[in-house]
Amino acid sequence: MDTKKNSELVTNATGGVYHLNLHSDEIAENILLVGDPGRVKKVSSFFDKIEIHKENREIITDTGYYRGVPVSVISTGMGTDNIDIVVNELDILANFDLESKIEKREKKSLNLIRIGTCGALRADIPLNTPIISRYAIGLDGLLYFYDTPEKITNHELATKFMDFTDWDKSLPTVYACKSSEALDDKFDESFLRGITITAPGFYGPQGRSIRLSPKFPNVNSKMSKFEYNNCKVSNMEMESSALYGLGQSLGHNTITVCIAIANRANGEFVSDYNKSMENLIESVLNTITK
């Protein structure tokens, strides 16, 4: 196999992968991804013990054990652009020799589980509801920069969504991906399954009007009424489409589990969701390690 150029597979002065500042033996097969760097400590506080702690920019990693099972938690920062970095570099750690920069013949599949917050788009979804993203619809366009396997994207879902919402041609063409069944099947029915909209920003792309008004002010209302395969649009956040598209294209299992800290249809917001997040973290850890 070809040796990757130094400018393509970038490592730092210690020989670790560039942004994550990690070596291959410093991550577990089960990896929890959180947007907020401060949430890493909250997750790893549940661990039996922590063996690795690394920090670089907004990316913090703790690797240890939960009930005897190796687990890592890594902060990604916000947005699909950060997911692009983290997922690619995790795959490098799993499937490349960092010293020779040659791809390994035997591939390793990681379990990438995003734990985050989101805004519910339907009025009937209570605050603090845990939501699994059965499907993720990306408004960001990131996946179009990759030559991904045809089976990863759901073109029927993307087309039906654009037709239903009268999607404006000046906006990026959407793409859609499904969660990994291997992970989805682990979670019980206490989690709401829905279609998640991944937006490329927090304000205008999510329909918020502060000083600049969104160009398409009614799009959230349209999206909230969309349904596919008996699955309704449930929520909006900023990472899942890239996680699903990139992660699965590279052979990894992916899923997103969020709590709804806002309800956009009702104009509600929970400022203190600490307890709900702790409950979600413990529930996810118990689910993936059982």
Side-chain angles (χ1 to χ4, degrees):
M1 293 188 179
D2 295 337
T3 301
K4 296 297 179 182
K5 296 178 181 177
N6 291 335
S7 60
E8 300 299 304
L9 198 165
V10 183
T11 53
N12 60 23
T14 69
V17 70
Y18 186 66
H19 296 92
L20 299 187
N21 187 32
L22 292 170
H23 292 80
S24 297
D25 60 351
E26 295 178 325
I27 59 167
E29 181 179 325
N30 295 303
I31 301 176
L32 305 182
L33 302 175
V34 296
D36 181 3
R39 197 170 295 148
V40 171
K41 186 176 181 180
K42 188 180 294 294
V43 174
S44 62
S45 69
F46 287 91
F47 289 5
D48 307 328
K49 63 178 179 178
I50 300 169
E51 292 193 330
I52 301 292
H53 175 82
K54 289 286 190 73
E55 296 188 23
N56 188 44
R57 305 186 189 188
E58 72 268 43
I59 300 170
I60 301 174
T61 301
D62 280 349
T63 295
Y65 292 86
Y66 180 79
R67 294 186 174 179
V69 178
V71 180
S72 295
V73 54
I74 300 175
S75 60
T76 64
M78 294 180 288
T80 56
D81 52 343
N82 284 338
I83 292 293
D84 176 68
I85 292 171
V86 172
V87 170
N88 273 295
E89 293 196 358
L90 285 174
D91 182 70
I92 288 169
L93 292 173
N95 292 309
F96 277 83
D97 182 290
L98 287 182
E99 187 173 348
S100 67
K101 300 191 177 181
I102 295 175
E103 187 175 351
K104 297 175 182 177
R105 292 189 180 278
E106 291 189 15
K107 301 298 182 291
K108 179 184 291 185
S109 180
L110 304 172
N111 295 320
L112 306 178
I113 302 103
R114 165 167 147 68
I115 299 178
T117 59
C118 66
L121 288 177
R122 299 202 322 266
D124 63 337
I125 299 177
L127 295 174
N128 294 312
T129 297
I131 302 173
I132 286 177
S133 303
R134 173 64 56 81
Y135 297 97
I137 294 179
L139 313 185
D140 54 290
L142 184 139
L143 210 61
Y144 290 111
F145 288 87
Y146 290 91
D147 184 13
T148 57
E150 186 70 19
K151 65 179 181 180
I152 299 301
T153 52
N154 188 324
H155 298 294
E156 179 186 58
L157 171 53
T159 299
K160 287 187 174 182
F161 175 83
M162 289 188 288
D163 289 344
F164 184 87
T165 56
D166 298 318
W167 198 249
D168 193 279
K169 287 183 170 56
S170 67
L171 293 171
T173 301
V174 308
Y175 62 93
C177 305
K178 195 174 185 290
S179 62
S180 297
E181 290 185 12
L183 291 177
D184 199 322
D185 289 346
K186 290 178 177 287
F187 289 85
D188 62 33
E189 295 307 311
S190 66
F191 294 85
L192 173 69
R193 265 78 168 176
I195 300 172
T196 294
I197 308 298
T198 296
F202 185 78
Y203 288 97
Q206 294 192 30
R208 289 183 170 92
S209 179
I210 310 298
R211 289 187 65 213
L212 284 175
S213 298
K215 190 175 180 181
F216 307 100
N218 299 319
V219 71
N220 282 8
S221 178
K222 288 182 179 179
M223 290 191 296
S224 69
K225 298 177 177 64
F226 180 71
E227 186 173 345
Y228 178 79
N229 278 359
N230 297 316
C231 196
K232 298 178 180 179
V233 163
S234 54
N235 60 323
M236 179 178 280
E237 47 82 89
M238 296 172 60
E239 287 85 28
S240 292
S241 60
L243 174 62
Y244 287 14
L246 288 179
Q248 293 177 40
S249 292
L250 291 165
H252 306 296
N253 298 310
T254 64
I255 199 166
T256 291
V257 189
C258 287
I259 53 169
I261 65 168
N263 187 295
R264 301 299 304 282
N266 299 331
E268 300 171 325
F269 182 78
V270 179
S271 57
D272 184 5
Y273 50 88
N274 186 60
K275 186 59 179 176
S276 295
M277 180 55 72
E278 287 180 353
N279 291 340
L280 180 65
I281 290 167
E282 187 171 22
S283 178
V284 170
L285 282 168
N286 287 336
T287 298
I288 67 170
T289 59
K290 65 185 177 184

